[in-house]
Amino acid sequence: MNRAFSRKKDKTWMHTPEALSKHYIPYNAKFLGSTEVEQPKGTEVVRDAVRKLKFARHIKKSEGQKIPKVELQISIYGVKILEPKTKEVQHNCQLHRISFCADDKTDKRIFTFICKDSESNKHLCYVFDSEKCAEEITLTIGQAFDLAYRKFLESGGKDVETRKQIAGMQKRIQDLETENMELKNKVQDLENRLRISQVSSSPAGSVTVKSPSTDIFDMVPFSPISHQSPTPTRNGTQLPPVPSRSAEIQRDLFGAEPFDPFNCGAGDFPPDIQSKLDEMQRQRWRGSKWD
């Protein structure tokens, strides 16, 4: 990382090593924006980017747009750019991707750094406006680089690789969460469409069959038209069919048919039984004759 515009090697660090290695240093500033640059470093490179973004901000200001305020969180892991109220991370610039940092000595309010984008691999120049802390923020970023470099030497490069892996995993988790939210929205949209199609496909003139009304004893009233059709009771079973009048006469108490002399003929019995009956009838006739 190169610090341009003016190097102050005689300045002492602004913060304790613990504050930057275990926590972060917050700053408030106005974010003019970011723009792509051709080189990863250079005084003229950042000056051109500052002029470009200042001009764009003047146009937006004339249209009534204000410069957005952001919160910077500086640590040995990088520089995070957050929305100050919601704390939503807008940009996460990892320290090993920052190649240049500078504060403008012609404009004490402006400071900037160049960072390589992790997705597009393009070099982006981020420009900020701070009325009182521009130089202090630049020095704090320089101190974070110094501490990170010391940890790199102590760990033999393993610490940097671990941070890269962690950063990659965090990016992957964020992408998966975004994809999961999109899938949930699609499922909800499909459910809404299915519900609307079911409502529209139902027949408009359909008539609901109502169950027959009952009397005060919860009985279905008698109807001479439908007396032969069984009516389901409340528990779902069917009542037994009502026997006809003729069926009651045809059977006695024991289930046998009553004797009918007019319907009984000689052909109602087998031949052997019929012959015995005739013989008994003749004997009765002879006995009554002799008497």
Side-chain angles (χ1 to χ4, degrees), residues 190-204:
L190 290 175
E191 289 179 352
N192 293 336
R193 291 183 181 180
L194 180 61
R195 192 179 299 109
I196 293 173
S197 63
Q198 289 177 349
V199 173
S200 60
S201 62
S202 60

Side-chain angles (χ1 to χ4, degrees), residues 66-265:
K66 295 182 179 180
I67 302 176
K69 296 180 180 180
V70 295
E71 177 182 335
L72 300 177
Q73 294 181 357
I74 304 173
S75 67
I76 62 172
Y77 302 105
V79 179
K80 289 184 179 180
I81 305 173
L82 300 86
E83 205 284 328
K85 292 183 179 179
T86 62
K87 303 300 180 182
E88 180 182 358
V89 178
Q90 299 177 351
H91 303 278
N92 186 11
C93 303
Q94 300 173 14
L95 203 66
H96 67 276
R97 292 184 175 274
I98 297 177
S99 57
F100 193 81
C101 180
D103 56 277
D104 191 350
K105 295 309 169 184
T106 60
D107 189 346
K108 301 291 185 179
R109 303 164 58 98
I110 301 299
F111 68 96
T112 179
F113 62 83
I114 298 176
C115 180
K116 188 176 182 180
D117 186 67
S118 59
E119 296 181 356
S120 63
N121 286 329
K122 296 179 180 179
H123 296 285
L124 302 178
C125 183
Y126 295 81
V127 180
F128 302 89
D129 184 338
S130 178
E131 185 176 357
K132 298 179 180 180
C133 301
E135 184 180 7
E136 181 180 340
I137 293 173
T138 307
L139 290 172
T140 302
I141 295 176
Q143 183 180 359
F145 266 100
D146 183 69
L147 292 173
Y149 183 67
R150 291 180 184 179
K151 289 179 68 66
F152 171 78
L153 295 177
E154 293 173 358
S155 62
K158 296 181 180 179
D159 186 63
V160 175
E161 293 299 326
T162 302
R163 289 204 301 269
K164 288 182 180 180
Q165 293 178 3
I166 293 174
M169 293 175 63
Q170 290 176 347
K171 182 65 171 57
R172 179 59 178 164
I173 291 172
Q174 184 177 358
D175 293 340
L176 290 174
E177 289 178 350
T178 303
E179 184 180 355
N180 187 30
M181 184 61 65
E182 292 177 355
L183 291 175
K184 286 183 178 179
N185 293 334
K186 289 182 180 179
V187 171
Q188 185 65 34
D189 183 59
L190 290 175
E191 289 179 352
N192 293 336
R193 291 183 181 180
L194 180 61
R195 192 179 299 109
I196 293 173
S197 63
Q198 289 177 349
V199 173
S200 60
S201 62
S202 60
S206 60
V207 179
T208 304
V209 179
K210 296 182 179 180
S211 59
S213 58
T214 56
D215 56 11
I216 59 175
F217 302 102
D218 203 20
M219 300 282 293
V220 179
F222 172 77
S223 174
I225 299 176
S226 60
H227 71 278
Q228 293 181 353
S229 60
T231 303
T233 59
R234 294 187 64 184
N235 58 1
T237 59
Q238 292 184 349
L239 296 175
V242 180
S244 61
R245 185 70 176 174
S246 60
E248 294 178 357
I249 297 175
Q250 292 173 359
R251 298 287 178 178
D252 59 10
L253 181 62
F254 301 100
E257 296 182 359
F259 176 74
D260 187 357
F262 297 99
N263 294 329
C264 181

